[in-house]
Amino acid sequence: MYASAFVLGFHGCDEIVGEKILAGKDHLKASDNKYDWLGEGIYFWENSPSRALHWANFIKDNPKLFKGKITKPFVIGAIIDLGLCLDLTEANSLAYVKSAYTSLSGMYKMIEVALPQNKKSGNRDEDLVLRHLDCAVINHVHDLREETELPAYDTVRGVFLEGEPLYEGGRIMEKTHIQVCVRHRRSIRGYFRPIPESA
């Protein structure tokens, strides 16, 4: 689908990296982990600088789980043009992803190899945050579009229901968020320094 508006995204990183980007001396790098749930790209928390900071602190506190290192957690904002967006809140996009799964599953069966599986990152992880299957399916969506000469998606956007219910019997989760995965740097129209939320 084509998005009708820009969105604000927030990315948690190390302060040195963030300041370099804000000074125009560098750009954010795409993540290509096999467990990135929206596939390969640059990840942003939509409209949530506090979640971006929380994530940067999590990386700092768990350095063995990540490639990159964060010494001083920092957040940068970005103005993102969603462009041609695989929006997982929209029916046609979901149908397209489902057909990509069918295609990928058939390929794995043909070569008699098991499909990747989503996995827990630890004993307390009920959200299966290591999204190996989801990553493979989304990346396959992009491969299929290239093979059939359809325009490439610029971004992928999805809601992630995460954490415990906010209250007993509820289905509103404490860490629910929207993430945007930017596949082409041109979709980032500018970076900015967010005003602290307490101000």
Side-chain angles (χ1 to χ4, degrees):
M1 74 165 250
Y2 281 95
S4 59
F6 292 87
V7 297
L8 296 181
F10 297 90
H11 183 90
C13 58
D14 188 75
E15 183 179 45
I16 291 172
V17 173
E19 291 291 3
K20 206 173 188 182
I21 291 165
L22 290 171
K25 297 177 181 175
D26 205 354
H27 286 285
L28 290 172
K29 307 288 188 285
S31 177
D32 62 355
N33 298 309
K34 300 287 186 197
Y35 55 79
D36 291 333
W37 78 293
L38 296 178
E40 186 174 332
I42 305 168
Y43 279 72
F44 294 90
W45 306 85
E46 186 176 315
N47 297 327
S48 188
S50 60
R51 285 305 305 274
L53 183 59
H54 179 268
W55 182 249
N57 277 302
F58 182 76
I59 293 172
K60 178 189 172 199
D61 295 341
N62 297 277
K64 293 180 181 177
L65 298 177
F66 301 95
K67 294 178 193 173
K69 182 180 175 186
I70 291 182
T71 303
K72 189 168 181 185
F74 190 78
V75 174
I76 61 172
I79 301 163
I80 302 167
D81 179 356
L82 292 177
L84 184 58
C85 180
L86 180 66
D87 189 337
L88 304 182
T89 68
E90 188 264 327
N92 289 336
S93 292
L94 292 171
Y96 196 77
V97 171
K98 187 174 182 179
S99 69
Y101 167 79
T102 302
S103 167
L104 186 67
S105 178
M107 288 171 54
Y108 272 76
K109 281 180 186 170
M110 191 182 306
I111 60 173
E112 298 180 346
V113 174
L115 271 171
Q117 297 296 309
N118 294 338
K119 297 178 182 176
K120 292 183 176 188
S121 63
N123 290 337
R124 296 182 349 183
D125 174 15
E126 296 303 319
D127 300 307
L128 303 177
V129 298
L130 299 177
R131 298 292 185 97
H132 294 91
L133 175 60
D134 296 339
C135 183
V137 171
I138 297 297
N139 284 335
H140 189 59
V141 164
H142 302 309
D143 292 341
L144 288 173
R145 290 186 75 80
E146 187 175 344
E147 288 170 17
T148 56
E149 298 183 356
L150 288 170
Y153 284 114
D154 299 305
T155 57
V156 182
R157 180 175 180 264
V159 177
F160 190 8
L161 304 177
E162 182 184 6
E164 298 293 321
L166 280 177
Y167 44 84
E168 187 177 343
R171 293 301 298 156
I172 301 171
M173 313 310 275
E174 64 182 355
K175 293 184 180 179
T176 295
H177 60 272
I178 297 174
Q179 278 191 318
V180 175
C181 175
V182 173
R183 301 193 66 248
H184 303 289
R185 194 181 292 163
R186 67 178 178 267
S187 296
I188 300 172
R189 296 305 180 94
Y191 294 109
F192 64 93
R193 185 185 306 274
I195 296 171
E197 290 183 284
S198 58

